[in-house]
Amino acid sequence: KVLLQCLELKPESALIWADLANLMMVSRRFEEAVFPLQRASEIDKELLHPWVTSVRAQDLLRRKKLQEAEKLLLQGLEVRPSAWHLLNRLGALRLKLKDWNQALVIAEDLINQPFAGWQSRGYLIRGQALFGLERYDECIPAFLECTKLRPDMDTWTWLSARSVLRAGKYDILASFLD
């Protein structure tokens, strides 16, 4: 309701349209997200707003259009090379594609950002990429750093522990949970 009121005041705001689309997608109301996504895209043709580009890529990823999402994210990063939303989304895509080494590069970019929220995402991507490379002993410190920076994100602790458990590294899992 608040976003709709904001749109009444600023109907040409790509950011508000993207927020509305994101809310619809998070609420699993995908059909309702179509129009706000289209409006955000029309308004932000130059990819000047990383959040708008990120939400558009999120929709493409949800629809399993990985190449289109990658192209959009890379275009957005050409315009804004250090856009954290885009780096995070591209890191997640690299993990999905099992492109572990590129995911590590993106993780380092996020870790070097000034905010703990983005740093923790960088550590999470680093841990998952190291896990994918079967460098299990190295992934644990990354996961620990991630959860230290954002202890409020219980999901990340669970994802980290699950990754180690899947590898059958019970000795590492025990040290992680300590």
Side-chain angles (χ1 to χ4, degrees):
K1 184 171 182 161
V2 173
L3 288 173
L4 294 175
Q5 291 172 338
C6 289
L7 280 172
E8 287 178 18
L9 297 172
K10 294 193 169 217
E12 294 303 311
S13 171
L15 292 171
I16 297 171
W17 283 109
D19 279 342
L20 183 59
N22 185 58
L23 177 64
M24 298 300 172
M25 287 189 291
V26 168
S27 303
R28 306 190 66 74
R29 296 164 36 199
F30 302 116
E31 292 302 316
E32 293 176 61
V34 172
F35 181 73
L37 271 171
Q38 287 173 339
R39 277 301 289 139
S41 298
E42 291 167 4
I43 296 167
D44 188 39
K45 290 178 186 149
E46 306 300 317
L47 304 177
L48 298 177
H49 298 291
W51 173 243
V52 175
T53 305
S54 179
V55 172
R56 291 175 57 201
Q58 174 187 342
D59 178 61
L60 290 169
L61 291 169
R62 178 190 66 78
R63 292 186 290 133
K64 304 210 183 331
K65 295 185 174 192
L66 305 184
Q67 291 175 332
E68 286 180 52
E70 179 180 39
K71 181 179 176 185
L72 179 63
L73 290 168
L74 291 172
Q75 288 172 338
L77 284 165
E78 283 179 21
V79 176
R80 304 252 183 183
S82 63
W84 309 324
H85 291 293
L86 304 181
L87 286 170
N88 179 56
R89 191 86 57 206
L90 186 59
L93 176 59
R94 295 287 186 238
L95 290 172
K96 185 179 284 256
L97 296 172
K98 298 182 180 174
D99 188 353
W100 311 125
N101 291 316
Q102 282 300 308
L104 283 172
V105 170
I106 293 166
E108 294 312 307
D109 286 342
L110 287 168
I111 288 167
N112 291 318
Q113 299 300 326
F115 303 108
W118 294 114
Q119 291 168 358
S120 61
R121 290 176 188 269
Y123 282 111
L124 181 65
I125 292 170
R126 177 195 278 175
Q128 291 175 320
L130 289 169
F131 179 84
L133 291 167
E134 298 181 8
R135 293 165 49 187
Y136 304 118
D137 293 335
E138 294 176 65
C139 72
I140 299 305
F143 289 144
L144 288 173
E145 194 62 33
C146 171
T147 55
K148 191 186 322 174
L149 285 166
R150 289 293 306 271
D152 57 313
M153 298 296 287
D154 294 336
T155 305
W156 293 357
T157 304
W158 178 81
L159 282 170
S160 303
R162 182 185 70 169
S163 295
V164 175
L165 185 62
R166 276 190 181 164
K169 296 291 186 178
Y170 304 110
D171 56 328
I172 295 174
L173 182 63
S175 68
F176 175 72
L177 294 175
D178 287 342

